[in-house]
């Protein structure tokens, strides 16, 4: 394979991400025929088919080239971040990503404090989950992202990303206010095994893991909710329909109809991280925002 052009790789990535030649053309500013010609040229240079057309998806050869495109983009993003830091020492803008409970519980106060130090700094916020944040960081579309994992489900970030611990967010049991265990100071997880639980893939812990952690069978989801809105889950709990486990940061200050109790051993923790491209230098404002986010997280969880 000779003369592999990064621009052709970028076109391939856009087509696969959108699943459409026309959508990729709109993003890249090309005509759909031009995108088709670029993919054909890439296949000619590779000597292999890189796309299936119906539905649009990468072939094994295309996946190899997508990995190469991601590597090129990550290296360029890292170089750009270092040059920005070395040239100015501060950032003119910060593109921040945060998952839902951090976006509401930490970010507003942190950005207000940052603004007092950098009044002319432009900041944009995108709410997204960790995997999407990692992808945006590696593509160079984001400067800093808040992510998380749990002590019993560690999830290291991809290569070329650096993460800094921002906070330890304890997981608590959330019960209806009139629940039989509501007056206890701490809750033994095993004592909730036979309760009605809510299955919410983006807003609650997976129940099969709870059985393993508590070493007690019986954790079953009897309510189904597809979404990432913690308030919806809390509404189910307040109505007396179920119990749930949640990170403390996800709980609003005032939650009528529910009680939140710490767990007895084994205690569970969600770790919150600030993540950025792994470079020797970083813009001063980005580093300051990392520090401010940690301060605000500590205040929110105290």
């Amino acid at each position: 394979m000779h003369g592999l052009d990064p621009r052709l790789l970028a076109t391939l990535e856009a087509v696969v991400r959108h699943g459409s030649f026309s959508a990729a053309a709109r993003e890249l500013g090309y005509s759909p025929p031009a995108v088709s010609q670029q993919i054909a040229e890439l296949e000619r240079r590779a000597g292999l088919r890189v796309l299936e057309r119906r539905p649009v998806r990468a072939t094994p050869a295309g996946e190899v080239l997508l990995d190469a495109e991601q590597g090129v983009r990550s290296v360029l993003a890292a170089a750009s971040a270092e040059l920005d830091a070395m040239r100015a020492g501060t950032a003119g803008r910060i593109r921040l990503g945060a998952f839902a409970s951090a976006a509401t519980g930490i970010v507003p106060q942190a950005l207000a404090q940052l603004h007092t130090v950098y009044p002319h700094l432009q900041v944009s916020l995108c709410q997204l989950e960790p995997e999407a944040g990692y992808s945006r960081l590696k593509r160079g579309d984001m400067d800093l992202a808040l992510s998380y994992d749990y002590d019993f489900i560690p999830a290291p970030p991809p290569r070329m990303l650096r993460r800094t611990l921002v906070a330890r967010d304890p997981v608590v049991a959330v019960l209806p206010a009139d629940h039989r265990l509501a007056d206890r100071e701490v809750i033994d997880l095993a004592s909730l095994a036979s309760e009605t639980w809510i299955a919410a893939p983006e807003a609650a812990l997976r129940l099969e893991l709870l059985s393993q952690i508590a070493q007690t069978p019986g954790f079953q989801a009897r309510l189904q909710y597809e979404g990432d809105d913690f308030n919806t889950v809390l509404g189910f709990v307040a109505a007396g329909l179920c119990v749930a486990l949640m990170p403390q940061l996800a709980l609003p200050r005032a939650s009528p109809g529910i009680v939140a109790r710490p767990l007895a051993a084994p205690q569970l923790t969600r770790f919150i991280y600030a993540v950025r491209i792994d470079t020797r230098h970083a813009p001063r404002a980005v580093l300051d925002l990392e520090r401010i986010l940690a301060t605000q997280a500590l205040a929110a969880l105290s």
Side-chain angles (χ1 to χ4, degrees):
M1 181 168 57
H2 301 288
L4 194 59
D5 189 336
R7 290 174 297 180
L8 301 181
L9 297 181
T11 300
L12 173 65
E13 188 277 336
V15 171
V16 172
R17 176 160 44 85
H18 287 289
S20 163
F21 280 69
S22 58
R26 285 193 296 272
E27 177 182 293
L28 297 171
Y30 300 143
S31 66
V35 169
S36 295
Q37 291 168 9
Q38 290 188 31
I39 295 299
E41 175 63 15
L42 183 60
E43 291 183 327
R44 185 190 70 78
R45 296 189 188 193
L48 292 165
R49 195 173 185 83
V50 300
L51 278 179
E52 300 290 351
R53 265 59 175 184
R54 292 190 179 86
V56 175
R57 62 175 184 233
T59 65
E63 293 289 351
V64 171
L65 294 179
L66 287 175
D67 287 343
E69 192 276 341
Q70 182 70 83
V72 169
R73 192 184 291 266
S74 295
V75 169
L76 291 176
S80 178
E82 289 216 51
L83 290 174
D84 284 346
M86 296 170 70
R87 185 167 47 240
T90 62
R93 64 169 180 164
I94 292 179
R95 297 162 298 175
L96 175 65
F99 55 93
S101 54
T104 57
I106 301 175
V107 170
Q109 299 84 352
L111 293 187
Q113 184 176 344
L114 185 72
H115 183 68
T116 64
V117 183
Y118 300 97
H120 302 296
L121 182 69
Q122 294 182 342
V123 181
S124 61
L125 173 65
C126 180
Q127 183 178 311
L128 36 66
E129 289 299 301
E131 286 302 321
Y134 295 155
S135 177
R136 296 280 292 273
L137 286 168
K138 291 177 69 176
R139 284 173 50 81
D141 296 337
M142 190 165 283
D143 303 300
L144 189 69
L146 288 171
S147 73
Y148 64 84
D149 63 9
Y150 291 90
D151 48 4
F152 56 94
I153 323 174
R159 213 167 37 89
M160 297 188 69
L161 297 182
R162 171 187 296 181
R163 71 181 186 185
T164 302
L165 181 64
V166 167
R168 291 175 173 84
D169 187 7
V171 175
V172 296
V174 184
L175 316 173
D178 60 356
H179 191 275
R180 60 186 174 83
L181 302 178
D183 58 351
R184 294 193 180 180
E185 292 186 5
V186 296
I187 299 293
D188 180 3
L189 185 57
S191 68
L192 297 175
S194 62
E195 297 286 334
T196 296
W197 288 83
I198 184 168
E202 300 298 333
L205 301 179
R206 300 202 303 272
L207 298 183
E208 64 270 19
L209 290 170
L210 302 187
S211 294
Q212 299 171 19
I213 293 165
Q215 299 182 338
T216 302
F219 291 84
Q220 296 182 19
R222 298 182 182 90
L223 285 171
Q224 301 289 331
Y225 163 58
E226 300 256 344
D228 63 357
D229 184 357
F230 282 110
N231 287 325
T232 301
V233 174
L234 290 172
F236 280 111
V237 176
L241 295 172
C242 61
V243 300
L245 291 189
M246 287 189 178
Q248 183 177 315
L249 186 64
L251 297 174
R253 291 289 184 182
S255 304
I258 70 164
V259 295
R261 296 288 183 261
L263 295 175
Q267 296 175 339
L268 310 178
T269 303
R270 179 173 73 166
F271 296 103
I272 300 175
Y273 305 96
V275 188
R276 57 182 172 85
I277 286 282
D278 189 8
T279 59
R280 290 167 294 180
H281 302 87
R284 187 184 308 156
V286 171
L287 297 178
D288 284 346
L289 179 55
E290 284 186 354
R291 176 183 53 79
I292 293 170
L293 286 165
T295 301
Q296 292 299 330
L298 181 62
L301 291 167
S302 59

